[in-house]
Amino acid sequence: MKAARENWLDDQDDLDPECPIFIDESGLSTKMARLRGWAPKGERCRAAIPHGHWKTTTFVGGFTLAGFVAPMLLDGPMDGESFLAWVEQMLAPTLRLGDIVIMDNLAAHKVAGVRQAIMVRFQRAPLIRTRQLTVLSTFGVNPAAAFNRA
């Protein structure tokens, strides 16, 4: 693993910036209330907060040099089932040979079937785990080598 990580770092100079697809999500909850606010000196800061009608919305997408791929707005929090459905139905069809899918260690990213959904597109993709990222390459080689598509 250490050697693979060192090779990845050494080969980054040769990376084609159009290959990586960074997967990320962002959420918003109406349950969040301000902890601080502004009020005239000597007056109490008052603000409305929702009570009992909380809602969570999540945005997920792939970020590439060219922009977003497979954007999706989810009515609720991201879980493994939702993430797998997004990968199978929205992300996988956009993948090209040589793309490298990079995602963080969110528990939803680790559910059974995510790796296979990406692999099925091109028959083979190795998985390399680092401390913080999971890298899936649509080439059957070291992800850094996939950047050298030219």
Side-chain angles (χ1 to χ4, degrees):
M1 179 52 93
K2 183 178 179 181
R5 199 173 298 132
E6 288 173 358
N7 287 340
W8 168 254
L9 292 172
D10 291 341
D11 292 338
Q12 283 188 4
D13 291 338
D14 300 326
L15 299 179
D16 177 355
E18 293 188 20
C19 290
I21 300 175
F22 296 92
I23 306 303
D24 206 4
E25 49 283 305
S26 181
L28 172 72
S29 173
T30 59
K31 186 177 181 178
M32 294 187 281
R34 288 182 161 213
L35 299 176
R36 294 167 185 76
W38 180 89
K41 188 172 182 173
E43 292 184 29
R44 185 179 194 115
C45 177
R46 299 186 187 273
I49 59 170
H51 290 285
H53 299 325
W54 298 321
K55 184 176 175 132
T56 300
T57 304
T58 304
F59 173 80
V60 63
F63 304 96
T64 69
L65 185 63
F68 288 114
V69 294
M72 180 181 81
L73 195 59
L74 176 65
D75 187 18
M78 179 60 71
D79 59 11
E81 184 180 341
S82 301
F83 185 73
L84 177 59
W86 174 76
V87 168
E88 290 173 339
Q89 298 169 27
M90 298 188 76
L91 178 65
T94 68
L95 295 176
R96 301 166 302 150
L97 185 63
D99 282 345
I100 298 173
V101 179
I102 303 170
M103 58 189 92
D104 58 20
N105 280 333
L106 181 70
H109 297 172
K110 299 177 185 180
V111 298
V114 170
R115 179 180 179 193
Q116 290 75 16
I118 294 171
M119 289 171 58
V120 130
R121 181 84 171 137
F122 297 103
Q123 302 300 318
R124 186 173 175 208
L127 176 67
I128 296 178
R129 288 198 182 275
T130 63
R131 283 187 16 216
Q132 298 297 323
L133 297 175
T134 298
V135 179
L136 293 165
S137 170
T138 56
F139 270 145
V141 296
N142 178 339
F147 282 102
N148 299 320
R149 293 188 298 175

